[in-house]
């Protein structure tokens, strides 16, 4: 009988969190979701349960609420299903918003993680997978970025992720039994192939892919391409887009690594390939038949010209590599968007009871 592990997944109702829940459940883990539903959706959790054929408890709460976390850890222990590890997604993640509201980002992302780590230690939980970002690298000194690239974020959001990585590294030095795997995401896009869950940003999206799919369904008039004069092949920004299901499966591999032994590890989750804005538009048109209208616009403050990952450490250490290409990212993201033009909102995914069920 395989030993099952019970995981606390903070922020599980979000874009990356919900896709990761599907893969964790498919891999045989039991999960408990903890989410304040500021960004995530209860409907997303209901659909994760339908997709996985498994139900799981969901507790509404904020990672900065130590008492709520203590109650959750204690209740799981009383139920005979103590938390074995934590997958920590809960955070604010918009770069421009972090420039406008830095204190909110330090409070949610840094203070929130400190409160979570303190509650984990009180409960005797010493395994963590942390959702970090390639934004911690800042301006590339060399490309592709590998995990030894200097950490030099250029915005408050990136600084919060770098600070948490520092905290985890120091904690693992101080507590030899603690295990922390920090995952540096590149650019996650697309959706689960079922079209049932996907990215559902509140308001006009900041990021390229959800913006272009909103243009493609006619909700937004056209895409502004921020900068066409970068030192790249076609002058537009180059990024390492990774299918959100590949990213989710990377979390399963990272969790297995965290459960296998102590220590701090930082790993890139990317494909190792760079795609420009215009190349993504062309791939989207080829995959969906929809030519997204666009116009050149000035560069966006803080943007870098090009970024892509060296993905070799993830393959060597975690036995994971991305397998889905840009065409699949476009086709799967389009299926979600066309089936849910208004995201989860149309599904009556408003406030529901928070006790127990999403
Ligand atoms: C991609 C490219 C833009 C919008 C950010 C965060 C990162 C991570 C992913 C959290 C760039 C161009 C964009 C648009 C455009 N988030 N673009 N028109 O900036 O690489 O990364 O999101 O972890 O931390 O920094 O992603 O999708 O915003 O931009 O031309 O309307 O698309 O200039 O070249 P980015 P993005």
């Amino acid at each position: 009988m395989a030993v099952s592990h019970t995981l606390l997944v903070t922020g599980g109702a979000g874009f990356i969190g919900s896709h990761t829940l599907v893969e964790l459940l498919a891999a045989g883990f039991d999960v408990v979701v903890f989410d304040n539903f500021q960004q995530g959706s209860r409907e997303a959790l209901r659909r994760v349960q339908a997709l996985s054929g498994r139900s799981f408890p969901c507790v509404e709460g904020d990672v900065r609420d130590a008492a709520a976390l203590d109650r959750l850890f204690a209740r799981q222990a009383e139920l005979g299903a103590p938390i074995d590890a934590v997958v920590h997604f809960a955070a604010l993640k918009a770069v421009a918003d972090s420039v406008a509201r830095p204190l909110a980002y330090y409070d949610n992302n840094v203070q929130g993680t400190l409160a979570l780590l303190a509650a984990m230690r009180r409960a005797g939980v010493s395994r963590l997978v942390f959702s970090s970002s390639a934004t911690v690298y800042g301006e590339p000194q060399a490309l592709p970025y590998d995990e030894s690239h200097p950490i030099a974020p250029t915005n408050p959001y990136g600084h919060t992720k770098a600070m948490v990585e520092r905290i985890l590294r120091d904690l693992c030095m101080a507590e030899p039994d603690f295990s922390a795997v920090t995952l540096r995401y590149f650019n996650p896009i697309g959706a689960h192939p079922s079209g049932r869950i996907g990215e559902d940003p509140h308001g006009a999206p900041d990021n390229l892919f959800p913006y272009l799919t909103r243009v493609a369904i006619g909700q937004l008039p056209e895409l502004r391409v921020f900068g066409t004069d970068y030192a790249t092949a076609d002058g537009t920004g180059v990024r390492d887009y990774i299918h959100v299901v590949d990213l989710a499966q990377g979390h399963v591999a990272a969790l297995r690594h965290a459960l296998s032994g102590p220590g701090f590890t930082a790993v890139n989750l990317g494909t190792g390939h760079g795609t420009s804005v215009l190349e993504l538009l062309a791939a989207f048109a080829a995959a969906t038949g929809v030519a997204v209208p666009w116009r050149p616009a000035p560069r966006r403050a803080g943007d870098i010209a090009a970024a892509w990952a060296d993905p070799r450490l993830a393959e060597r250490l975690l036995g994971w590599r991305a397998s889905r290409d840009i065409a699949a990212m476009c086709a799967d993201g389009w299926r979600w968007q066309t089936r849910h033009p208004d995201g989860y909102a149309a599904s009556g995914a408003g406030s529901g009871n928070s006790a127990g069920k999403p």
Side-chain angles (χ1 to χ4, degrees):
M1 174 72 175
V3 174
S4 74
H5 289 94
T6 302
L7 310 174
L8 169 60
V9 181
T10 74
F15 172 41
I16 313 296
S18 56
H19 285 79
T20 302
L21 286 174
V22 171
E23 303 305 323
L24 291 171
L25 291 162
F29 290 99
D30 296 321
V31 301
V32 177
V33 173
F34 187 72
D35 201 303
N36 66 7
F37 295 106
Q38 293 301 304
Q39 302 170 79
S41 157
R42 287 180 182 77
E43 180 60 22
L45 295 182
R46 283 190 277 272
R47 296 191 187 179
V48 167
Q49 299 200 44
L51 283 169
S52 61
R54 295 183 56 196
S55 65
F56 49 84
C58 169
V59 175
E60 182 172 359
D62 191 298
V63 288
R64 293 166 291 181
D65 182 345
L69 289 169
D70 287 345
R71 285 194 300 273
L72 186 153
F73 283 114
R75 173 169 166 69
Q76 285 302 127
E78 287 157 15
L79 291 170
I83 299 297
D84 295 295
V86 177
V87 185
H88 180 34
F89 293 106
L92 298 178
K93 55 151 265 181
V95 169
D97 185 39
S98 78
V99 175
R101 302 192 305 136
L103 294 185
Y105 277 70
Y106 288 108
D107 189 24
N108 277 275
N109 296 4
V110 181
Q111 175 55 36
T113 304
L114 285 170
L116 173 65
L117 291 171
M120 288 173 65
R121 293 180 67 236
R122 288 192 293 271
V125 179
S126 58
R127 302 280 182 266
L128 176 76
V129 171
F130 172 61
S131 163
S132 189
S133 169
T135 305
V136 302
Y137 293 125
E139 280 289 338
Q141 290 184 9
L143 285 174
Y145 286 112
D146 67 22
E147 289 80 356
S148 66
H149 186 284
I151 300 299
T154 59
N155 55 71
Y157 165 72
H159 281 295
T160 68
K161 292 297 186 181
M163 281 181 192
V164 171
E165 288 197 11
R166 181 73 260 170
I167 289 164
L168 294 175
R169 198 185 285 272
D170 291 345
L171 179 58
C172 289
M173 292 293 287
E175 303 202 0
D177 72 327
F178 202 90
S179 169
V181 180
T182 183
L183 300 176
R184 295 172 181 163
Y185 305 167
F186 279 72
N187 290 63
I189 65 171
H192 189 270
S194 67
R196 301 280 295 142
I197 57 174
E199 189 168 10
D200 185 17
H202 297 174
D206 296 318
N207 296 134
L208 175 64
F209 190 76
Y211 198 102
L212 78 82
T213 59
R214 292 272 179 94
V215 175
I217 60 168
Q219 279 189 358
L220 292 168
E222 64 180 359
L223 173 74
R224 295 159 300 162
V225 175
F226 296 141
T228 55
D229 59 350
Y230 283 109
T232 60
D234 61 20
T236 64
V238 170
R239 296 293 186 273
D240 186 332
Y241 297 99
I242 175 172
H243 196 296
V244 64
V245 174
D246 274 333
L247 190 83
Q249 291 174 347
H251 285 73
V252 177
L255 188 68
R256 290 193 171 116
H257 183 78
L259 290 167
S260 70
F264 176 87
T265 311
V267 184
N268 289 338
L269 290 190
T271 68
H273 304 293
T275 301
S276 76
V277 176
L278 296 185
E279 286 169 339
L280 185 59
L281 285 172
F284 187 82
T288 64
V290 178
V292 171
W294 65 276
R295 66 174 167 79
R299 293 182 178 188
R300 182 172 62 177
D303 271 1
I304 58 178
W308 65 92
D310 178 337
R312 286 176 295 180
L313 180 61
E315 184 164 5
R316 189 166 70 246
L317 199 64
L318 307 182
W320 169 91
R321 65 187 302 181
S323 63
R324 295 162 179 89
D325 61 11
I326 280 281
M329 296 177 214
C330 291
D332 293 343
W334 183 231
R335 189 177 304 107
W336 153 256
Q337 184 71 90
T338 50
R339 292 186 185 181
H340 302 88
D342 298 317
Y344 295 112
S347 315
S351 62
N353 74 341
S354 59
K357 293 294 175 198

